[in-house]
Amino acid sequence: MAGTNPRAARIAALIQRVVASSIERELHDKRLTNITVTEVRVTNDLQIAKIYWTQLGHEGKESGERKRAQQALDQAKGHLRTLVGRKAGLRLTPQLQFVFDEVPGEAHEIEDILALARKRDEELAKARATAQYAGDADPYKHDDEPADEDGEDEVDYDADFDDDSDDGSEFDSEDDATEEGLSE
């Protein structure tokens, strides 16, 4: 029901009841069997009423039945507008526009897609239940784990340097130099 006008909403509900009952009781057209009026939207100025409809068709014949039903609705548009004018008691009766409602068909397609997704999720859950890691379950090292097999946890960076330095001095450390200097 388009707009925020409460009067337009009331008139839309009235038009829906009148059109649905008239299609069922007064229009004796076989092309209009299995038609359902799903929604009516009336503009705020009450000039145009869009009537959304759908049809339960036979498998494989939906498009042909829909075209024939649209033709029948277009032909009965004047008669239905007269009936709406009588029942509604309006000064100006809105123009009726019949629009096929695509939402139910799209909803079935979405439901099929969701069912397929659920089936794939179930298959993945079954595969995960029996899955094993290719390597360690947790390949990261943690602080609470025991030390390596050789008992050392830390890397000794001083081991990279030789005690014999290649800088040309004959002493390895200052202590050795003072001991040599004292003994001379």
Side-chain angles (χ1 to χ4, degrees):
M1 301 187 195
T4 57
N5 187 350
R7 184 167 186 235
R10 284 193 313 270
I11 291 172
L14 176 66
I15 291 173
Q16 183 172 0
R17 286 192 306 269
V18 170
V19 169
S21 66
S22 298
I23 287 174
E24 183 180 331
R25 293 185 187 132
E26 295 187 24
L27 299 179
H28 303 289
D29 195 336
K30 291 185 180 184
R31 298 176 291 179
L32 297 178
T33 57
N34 299 326
I35 285 194
T36 303
V37 176
T38 56
E39 184 179 7
V40 175
R41 293 182 184 173
V42 178
T43 58
N44 283 335
D45 61 358
L46 308 176
Q47 295 295 311
I48 299 172
K50 286 190 178 182
I51 301 169
Y52 293 88
W53 61 277
T54 188
Q55 182 178 31
L56 181 63
H58 297 90
E59 193 70 33
K61 300 179 183 179
E62 291 95 358
S63 63
E65 290 177 352
R66 182 184 339 158
K67 287 178 185 176
R68 287 188 293 277
Q70 184 69 46
Q71 289 172 348
L73 288 170
D74 289 339
Q75 289 173 355
K77 191 182 297 187
H79 181 65
L80 291 172
R81 185 175 180 197
T82 303
L83 292 173
V84 167
R86 280 189 207 147
K87 299 278 184 175
L90 300 172
R91 186 169 53 96
L92 293 173
T93 304
Q95 290 181 1
L96 303 182
Q97 294 178 353
F98 290 96
V99 180
F100 183 75
D101 195 358
E102 298 286 341
V103 173
E106 292 173 359
H108 289 297
E109 291 176 20
I110 292 172
E111 287 175 3
D112 293 342
I113 291 169
L114 289 174
L116 180 64
R118 282 187 207 106
K119 182 180 176 185
R120 287 182 183 168
D121 286 346
E122 290 171 3
E123 291 172 359
L124 280 174
K126 288 178 184 176
R128 285 184 188 137
T130 59
Q132 295 180 355
Y133 290 102
D136 291 337
D138 186 10
Y140 300 104
K141 186 175 182 180
H142 297 282
D143 292 335
D144 58 341
E145 291 180 0
D148 291 340
E149 295 169 359
D150 57 345
E152 292 185 20
D153 245 0
E154 297 180 18
V155 178
D156 187 14
Y157 294 107
D158 294 335
D160 291 342
F161 299 107
D162 287 311
D163 285 342
D164 299 330
S165 60
D166 293 334
D167 62 351
S169 68
E170 52 185 88
F171 302 110
D172 292 336
S173 66
E174 291 182 21
D175 292 334
D176 291 341
T178 53
E179 289 177 10
E180 287 289 326
L182 293 175
S183 60
E184 287 184 12

